[in-house]
């Protein structure tokens, strides 16, 4: 009886030790994940304003007398270069959320890299795709950092 009792006690203490170790490991994993998410958020807050600024430059300073296709044609190559440079120099893909921001970035890159359909003139469809890609990209960036309801004016203040 003494041997059986001590064996049960020994096995019981091993089970308890394993359960405690599992809980401790899960808690440690949660702490590491939480720190990672916090650092990722901080890095996004540092890097994303420059992306908003680049996306605003696609249309440049909006003037009523210049048609949008003229502005886009003038700025699209420069903005495409800036987006790609940001991706290379900032670790780009590492900071963009995979499901939204990364796909939106890639689609904006795709739209900006297309040549005008008619000689030197963008078609209405192309202009619409570029603008929709730009808007979707900005929304995806906002989602990444949890900004949904701020006015555009506030976003631009952050970008400066």
């Amino acid at each position: 009886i003494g041997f059986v009792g001590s064996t049960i006690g020994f096995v019981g203490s091993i089970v308890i030790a394993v359960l405690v170790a599992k809980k401790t490991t899960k808690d440690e994993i949660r702490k590491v994940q939480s720190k990672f998410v916090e650092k990722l958020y901080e890095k996004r807050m540092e890097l994303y304003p420059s992306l908003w600024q680049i996306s605003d430059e696609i249309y440049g300073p909006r003037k009523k007398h210049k048609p949008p296709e003229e502005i886009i044609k003038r700025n699209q190559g420069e903005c495409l270069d800036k987006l790609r440079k940001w991706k290379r120099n900032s670790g780009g893909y590492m900071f963009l959320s995979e499901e939204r921001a990364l796909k939106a970035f890639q689609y904006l890159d795709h739209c900006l890299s297309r040549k005008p359909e008619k000689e030197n003139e963008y078609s209405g469809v192309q202009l619409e795709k570029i603008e929709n890609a730009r808007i979707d990209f900005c929304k995806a960036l906002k989602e990444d950092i949890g900004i949904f309801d701020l006015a555009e004016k506030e976003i631009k203040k952050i970008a400066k």
Side-chain angles (χ1 to χ4, degrees):
I1 290 185
F3 176 73
V4 173
S6 62
T7 304
I8 291 172
F10 177 71
V11 170
S13 57
I14 289 177
V15 169
I16 290 171
V18 168
L19 291 174
V20 168
K22 271 186 169 181
K23 183 180 179 348
T24 303
T25 303
K26 284 181 183 177
D27 289 346
E28 291 301 315
I29 289 171
R30 279 191 207 110
K31 284 179 187 176
V32 169
Q33 287 172 333
S34 179
K35 285 181 183 178
F36 173 77
V37 168
E38 185 179 324
K39 293 290 183 191
L40 179 62
Y41 178 81
E42 288 173 7
K43 196 66 175 170
R44 285 176 175 168
M45 290 297 290
E46 176 188 326
L47 295 172
Y48 282 15
S50 61
L51 288 173
W52 281 310
Q53 188 173 11
I54 293 167
S55 73
D56 279 349
E57 291 173 13
I58 292 170
Y59 281 106
R62 295 182 186 216
K63 296 182 179 176
K64 291 183 180 183
H65 65 279
K66 288 198 176 192
E69 62 269 6
E70 211 175 288
I71 295 169
I72 290 174
K73 189 168 56 178
R74 187 183 70 234
N75 294 330
Q76 66 77 244
E78 184 179 326
C79 291
L80 182 61
D81 290 343
K82 286 181 180 181
L83 280 173
R84 289 177 176 173
K85 183 178 178 182
W86 180 90
K87 182 181 75 175
R88 282 190 310 274
N89 296 340
S90 301
Y93 287 161
M94 183 182 346
F95 299 108
L96 298 168
S97 65
E98 188 175 337
E99 285 304 309
R100 276 286 283 131
L102 177 58
K103 288 179 182 177
F105 181 97
Q106 290 169 334
Y107 186 65
L108 179 59
D109 182 286
H110 168 79
C111 289
L112 289 172
S113 64
R114 301 293 125 216
K115 301 255 186 255
E117 259 181 35
K118 306 170 193 168
E119 294 179 26
N120 289 328
E121 207 175 296
Y122 285 99
S123 70
V125 171
Q126 283 181 304
L127 293 172
E128 189 176 330
K129 282 182 179 181
I130 291 170
E131 179 60 0
N132 288 339
R134 186 189 74 79
I135 289 169
D136 188 54
F137 178 59
C138 289
K139 284 181 184 176
L141 295 177
K142 291 175 193 177
E143 288 173 13
D144 268 5
I145 59 172
I147 298 175
F148 299 101
D149 299 322
L150 289 179
E152 284 299 316
K153 188 180 355 178
E154 294 301 315
I155 298 296
K156 288 179 182 176
K157 282 182 189 176
I158 292 170
K160 290 183 180 180

